[in-house]
Amino acid sequence: MSQDLTKTTELPAPYRYQELNGEKQCSQFPLAAEIALAISYNGISQAVMMVSPQDLDDFVLGLSFTSGIIDAARQIYAISIQPGDESAVAEVELASRAFWQLKKYRRQMAGTSSCGLCGVEAIAQALPELPPLAHQPLPPMEHFVGLRDKITEVQQATKSTGAMHAALYLDAGGNIMLCREDIGRHNALDKLIGALLRQNRSATQGMVVLTSRGSLELVQKAIRAGISTLVTMSAPTALTVDWARRHQLNFVHLPRRSPPRLYSPAPKE
């Protein structure tokens, strides 16, 4: 493998958004890039990880080491990166000893839990074909007023530990009907979707709020569950917004000290 100490990082792409303050002002904000990276070792698919597209060869090397697949960098003979718009493929050539270690690692993975898209072995699984949602109007602006404070009040587990994510469902009247918390943001949303299903509630009206950032996996879960409006308290990635727009998911970012930012549908020029 060749060394490269002069790698450049592309500037994040700015995304237009509309401030929901009654004046319909549009601005733009740079969003972090995100792609699905499929990793294969000696021709065998290992996993698909959601990553930033910079320094992918460093990522593959570091992941291989911290996962126990290799003991030293020399055990990787070559890393070939095939880039794409929303995905990339990393083909890794391993030494025989490391390949034996990989087989052991794969057996261990079978009994462990994962978050997000960790452990997914194909790009098609990470970027599935999903039908677009039926267009639904945005909730009224007044439903966003004081929303952060309302959410804080119902986050019981977070009050105790300070280390929990929450997923909440607000009905068409803006009332918080369900709140599920978990140390994992993906888990919290899964719990909320399960509660919606168990109670036979439809999420086509109202909105779902996540106390975490917006990520592709969470948008995919929302689309699958038929959630029409998704609100996150931290900024989304560029790919997340692309998918929300493509699938007609209303997507709003709720900053702490700024008006809500509507990313999807895209603001009209």
Side-chain angles (χ1 to χ4, degrees), residues 161-176:
T161 66
M164 303 286 284
H165 291 290
L168 305 97
Y169 169 66
L170 282 72
D171 66 10
N175 305 300
I176 298 178

Side-chain angles (χ1 to χ4, degrees), residues 13 18-19 34 37 39 68 88 112 117 124-125 138 171 173 211 218 229 236 241 245 255:
Q18 177 181 319
E19 293 187 348
E34 181 184 42
L37 176 66
I39 305 173
T112 60
L117 298 179
Q125 291 175 278
L138 285 169
D171 66 10
T211 58
L218 297 177
T229 299
V241 172
R245 291 175 176 178

Side-chain angles (χ1 to χ4, degrees), residues 15 141-142 177 189 210 214 243 256 258 265:
Y15 273 66
M141 179 59 198
E142 54 264 27
M177 305 303 296
L189 181 55
L210 306 177
W243 271 61
R256 184 174 296 277
S258 301

Side-chain angles (χ1 to χ4, degrees), residues 7-87:
K7 295 181 180 180
T8 58
T9 301
E10 295 183 0
L11 295 176
Y15 273 66
R16 288 175 56 78
Y17 65 87
Q18 177 181 319
E19 293 187 348
L20 300 179
N21 58 1
E23 299 179 3
K24 298 184 178 179
Q25 294 180 343
C26 291
S27 186
Q28 61 182 20
F29 189 83
L31 299 181
E34 181 184 42
I35 64 169
L37 176 66
I39 305 173
S40 66
Y41 294 92
N42 291 4
I44 298 179
S45 296
Q46 175 63 25
V48 174
M49 314 290 289
M50 300 310 301
V51 299
S52 297
Q54 297 85 20
D55 304 324
L56 295 181
D57 50 350
D58 290 342
F59 171 76
V60 171
L61 176 59
L63 179 68
S64 301
F65 183 82
T66 58
S67 298
I69 296 172
I70 62 172
D71 299 321
R74 63 177 179 273
Q75 292 180 316
I76 291 183
Y77 293 154
I79 299 175
S80 175
I81 305 292
Q82 301 174 16
D85 292 334
E86 294 187 353
S87 63

